[in-house]
Amino acid sequence: MSKPVAPVQEQAAEPKAKSSEPTAKLAASWYIALRASTLGKKPVELKLFGQPLVAWRDQAGRPVIMERHCAHLGASLADGKVVDGCIQCPFHQFRYDNTGKCVHIPGNGTSVPPLLQIPAAAQQTTYVTAERYGYIWIWYGSRAPMFPLPEFPYAESEKSSYRLLTFARTAKTTALRVLENVFDPQHAVSLHSMPAVSIVLNVHDDWREWPEHGAEALAQADAWFGASYDAHIDSYLGSVGALASKLGLDAREMRVRLSYFPGGGVITMIINGEIIFRMLTSITPIDVHETEWHTTFAFKKTAKIWSDAVNFVVFGLQTKATFLQDIAIFSTLKADGGRFFTRYDEGVLKFRAFYTKWVHKTTLDHLNRRSAEPASAFARS
Ligand code: FES
Ligand SMILES: [Fe+2]
């Protein structure tokens, strides 16, 4: 069942919300750690959740993400190397496996053998990862993931039928301020110059009525937020409108489906009843006020090569242009989200309530987490 939340009519009550909502806290979720293509044989230095981390690949090529500074005397493992499927510290060459356990401490000379009894504290904190859709994902908030990654087969099993376009930019604001933007219909007109006659945002609370696949597993874990826009527009979209109309494109009826989890979502763009593209979007929470915003567009290849090319160029350009307008605003946003709200903010406030529920489900506070304690005693072999 869907509930219209922002119809264009007068007399709607203003939503009640407090300015002290925890907009700076991070929800338990999957997030993008890095593009998969940037992680090869060498360790890569990362900062996520305000923490210095390192990413590397184990013997099977699986991505490992662990705290960057060695539990021994604190050297950066990002300056180390992968040896026998373990990461080797550049300082005393201790090695850690893909679970973070220290598995090798060399001796200090040819006549001094490796230490066989390795201290229990010789352990690096590691995170759950998954490599899908061209990204390496990291789970934040609890030891084990509480819900699966969203389905986006267009960049995986069905990849050969789609033309993909990826894009990312960093903004100086919190994760939530980036994520909630898509549920703000008013800025589509005021900031992105969409020539809309009306835009109605609907929030969907029943995944069984969702027309695209992929909502079920998220919904069953209470981690799905479904919404859609119905927009009537009186000429083609925004800043590339002139180009679009020259190319003979006409977009009067626009429907946008938003199938979200706390850390991102899948957006489907439908123009005049036809799906134009799907887009996977998520974020990299680098620090409390530093967030990288990622998107992967998937345009279906059809027999109409000319119209495919036009859609790819026009929608790619248009969405990139709006993305950059958003980034410029994000970088000056106040994290607490303002002092008052209007009925047009109802979509943002409903997403905030959903997101905040997942903030409260975090059981590990990585933002304030300490590294492993120093070893209390030497162990001898
Ligand atoms: S600091 Fe890493 S092995 Fe000593
Ligand atoms: Fe926007």
Side-chain angles (χ1 to χ4, degrees):
M1 189 169 64
S2 69
K3 292 178 186 166
V5 297
V8 181
Q9 58 182 4
E10 300 306 319
Q11 290 106 30
E14 289 194 359
K16 293 188 175 55
K18 292 188 217 111
S19 62
S20 57
E21 301 271 7
T23 60
K25 295 200 174 147
L26 202 57
S29 184
W30 290 101
Y31 295 99
I32 291 174
L34 70 168
R35 291 286 309 274
S37 59
T38 59
L39 185 59
K41 292 199 165 114
K42 290 189 179 158
V44 170
E45 184 177 302
L46 282 183
K47 185 179 178 192
L48 298 172
F49 326 126
Q51 297 294 306
L53 304 176
V54 60
W56 53 282
R57 289 188 187 276
D58 70 10
Q59 205 129 26
R62 284 178 304 236
V64 181
I65 298 182
M66 61 172 48
E67 59 182 305
R68 191 191 307 158
H69 295 288
C70 177
H72 181 221
L73 295 187
S76 172
L77 296 174
D79 295 328
K81 59 182 177 184
V82 179
V83 179
D84 295 337
C86 296
I87 190 161
Q88 176 174 289
C89 179
F91 200 177
H92 309 93
Q93 299 187 343
F94 292 15
R95 290 182 199 161
Y96 300 91
D97 69 11
N98 58 8
T99 69
K101 188 173 176 321
C102 182
V103 292
H104 176 72
I105 294 180
N108 60 12
T110 48
S111 63
V112 180
L115 194 67
L116 297 180
Q117 194 180 332
I118 295 172
Q123 172 82 38
Q124 299 292 110
T125 301
T126 58
Y127 294 79
V128 174
T129 62
E131 183 167 351
R132 294 191 72 185
Y133 320 133
Y135 298 107
I136 292 168
W137 300 80
I138 184 166
W139 173 262
Y140 170 89
S142 57
R143 297 217 177 272
M146 299 182 202
F147 55 84
L149 271 167
E151 289 302 316
F152 197 69
Y154 324 105
E156 204 168 55
S157 56
E158 298 174 25
K159 198 173 168 182
S160 58
S161 304
Y162 287 83
R163 198 168 274 109
L164 302 177
L165 177 68
T166 58
F167 194 62
R169 281 286 188 286
T170 301
K172 294 281 180 195
T173 193
T174 61
L176 175 60
R177 301 310 310 272
V178 175
L179 291 164
E180 71 185 17
N181 177 261
V182 76
F183 302 103
D184 170 1
Q186 197 171 31
H187 91 292
V189 176
S190 57
L191 179 65
H192 301 319
S193 310
M194 183 192 286
V197 177
S198 68
I199 308 178
V200 177
L201 177 69
N202 308 291
V203 173
H204 300 267
D205 53 12
D206 189 343
W207 62 269
R208 283 164 298 201
E209 292 174 9
W210 192 251
E212 301 263 318
H213 66 275
E216 180 175 353
L218 291 172
Q220 283 172 352
D222 198 21
W224 183 70
F225 186 83
S228 63
Y229 285 111
D230 289 306
H232 297 274
I233 44 189
D234 63 4
S235 63
Y236 206 72
L237 303 179
S239 55
V240 293
L243 170 64
S245 58
K246 274 202 177 64
L247 294 168
L249 291 184
D250 179 37
R252 304 284 161 175
E253 305 291 328
M254 186 171 90
R255 188 169 172 86
V256 184
R257 290 191 201 119
L258 307 153
S259 181
Y260 262 64
F261 64 100
V266 175
I267 300 174
T268 306
M269 169 69 81
I270 303 155
I271 302 280
N272 300 339
E274 191 184 335
I275 293 178
I276 303 294
F277 65 80
R278 294 180 179 87
M279 186 173 104
L280 175 67
T281 184
S282 185
I283 56 163
T284 301
I286 298 167
D287 212 334
V288 178
H289 297 284
E290 191 175 2
T291 305
E292 189 173 15
W293 188 17
H294 298 266
T295 62
T296 290
F297 296 82
F299 292 85
K300 189 157 176 60
K301 296 176 192 165
T302 70
K304 296 184 263 174
I305 295 170
W306 167 245
S307 96
D308 283 4
V310 168
N311 282 337
F312 186 78
V313 171
V314 170
F315 282 96
L317 281 179
Q318 172 60 31
T319 314
K320 265 190 178 182
T322 61
F323 198 101
L324 294 175
Q325 289 168 333
D326 284 331
I327 289 282
I329 294 283
F330 293 164
S331 295
T332 60
L333 283 175
K334 224 171 144 240
D336 71 5
R339 276 205 299 276
F340 80 96
F341 303 94
T342 76
R343 61 194 165 90
Y344 303 119
D345 298 318
E346 211 165 342
V348 166
L349 293 177
K350 286 197 169 180
F351 181 74
R352 281 189 185 185
F354 167 74
Y355 186 88
T356 302
K357 183 175 68 183
W358 281 90
V359 166
H360 293 142
K361 288 191 191 200
T362 56
T363 56
L364 299 175
D365 186 358
H366 294 292
L367 293 171
N368 295 311
R369 200 162 178 199
R370 289 184 303 159
S371 304
E373 294 293 333
S376 56
F378 287 126
R380 294 178 191 282
S381 58

